Amino acid sequence: MSHLPGKEPIELPPKVLDYVEKISQHYEIIYSLPRIGCRVLAMLLLAPYPASIDDLKRNLRVSHGSISTNLNLLRALGYIERVTYPGERITYYRFLPRSRVGALRQRIHHYRDILGVIQGAHQELEMDENVRQNLMEMEAYAELAIHQNSQFIEAWEKYLAGRSSAPEKG
């Protein structure tokens, strides 16, 4: 049986598993991820410490292949990270608390990329008015998305800095 050194295998109580399901349903909508990936992400959010594939399989009742595929996807998107321990052959995974900011930064990067493509299309293609209007609208949308997401990240970082420097209430 695989588990963290000094820790028992993760066995989430039914009430926590209910919240795994509730959170994962929202992740499906928010992140447009596969259902199993959302369940994995939600479990890692609620797990008391990093989870192994066996922990995820046992709690979510999903096949090894499906867990592995979705872990790779979530890692590639920057929502989770692998964790290893000296002398331990098992790989563990944990939720990255700042992953949502990373996702926004990635979205900004993609919007900048599509802006370059749209601007190239404006310069190189002959197009009718309808196509030109579509491209102009997409360009405006991407510019606003870059601006709004950048402002949100800045506000979020200020908010976190303020929370960490505020005195503890007691």
Side-chain angles (χ1 to χ4, degrees):
M1 183 172 293
S2 65
H3 60 279
L4 267 166
K7 302 281 187 181
E8 291 298 314
I10 297 173
E11 291 285 349
L12 296 179
K15 191 172 192 172
V16 174
L17 289 172
D18 286 344
Y19 276 94
V20 166
E21 293 304 318
K22 289 175 183 178
I23 291 169
S24 73
Q25 290 170 4
H26 291 283
Y27 279 171
E28 279 187 75
I29 295 166
I30 294 168
Y31 297 122
S32 300
L33 294 171
R35 182 169 181 259
I36 300 303
C38 294
R39 292 177 69 212
V40 168
L41 190 57
M43 181 176 157
L44 293 176
L45 173 70
L46 297 174
Y49 42 84
S52 69
I53 288 179
D54 286 342
D55 291 328
L56 292 161
K57 283 174 23 181
R58 186 176 42 263
N59 284 275
L60 300 177
R61 301 178 199 271
V62 177
S63 74
H64 182 97
S66 185
I67 294 289
S68 182
T69 297
N70 282 282
L71 285 170
N72 288 335
L73 172 65
L74 295 171
R75 280 187 58 228
L77 293 171
Y79 294 127
I80 65 171
E81 69 179 352
R82 291 175 61 175
V83 181
T84 58
Y85 297 92
E88 179 71 30
R89 292 179 15 200
I90 297 163
T91 300
Y92 298 89
Y93 300 86
R94 70 176 162 211
F95 180 84
L96 285 172
R98 310 286 176 172
S99 62
R100 293 164 304 277
V101 171
L104 285 178
R105 288 185 200 284
Q106 190 174 40
R107 189 169 290 155
I108 290 168
H109 175 76
H110 289 301
Y111 279 124
R112 286 189 177 128
D113 285 350
I114 193 68
L115 272 176
V117 173
I118 291 169
Q119 290 162 352
H122 277 299
Q123 293 173 358
E124 294 183 28
L125 300 178
E126 290 188 30
M127 58 191 87
D128 69 16
E129 189 54 34
N130 188 40
V131 173
R132 186 179 327 284
Q133 187 62 36
N134 289 343
L135 289 175
M136 287 174 49
E137 186 175 312
M138 185 59 188
E139 185 176 21
Y141 181 89
E143 288 171 349
L144 182 59
I146 290 167
H147 177 74
Q148 296 287 37
N149 284 311
S150 297
Q151 283 189 320
F152 180 84
I153 290 169
E154 185 179 321
W156 176 245
E157 289 171 347
K158 283 181 186 175
Y159 172 79
L160 290 176
R163 282 185 65 187
S164 65
S165 64
E168 295 276 330
K169 292 183 180 178

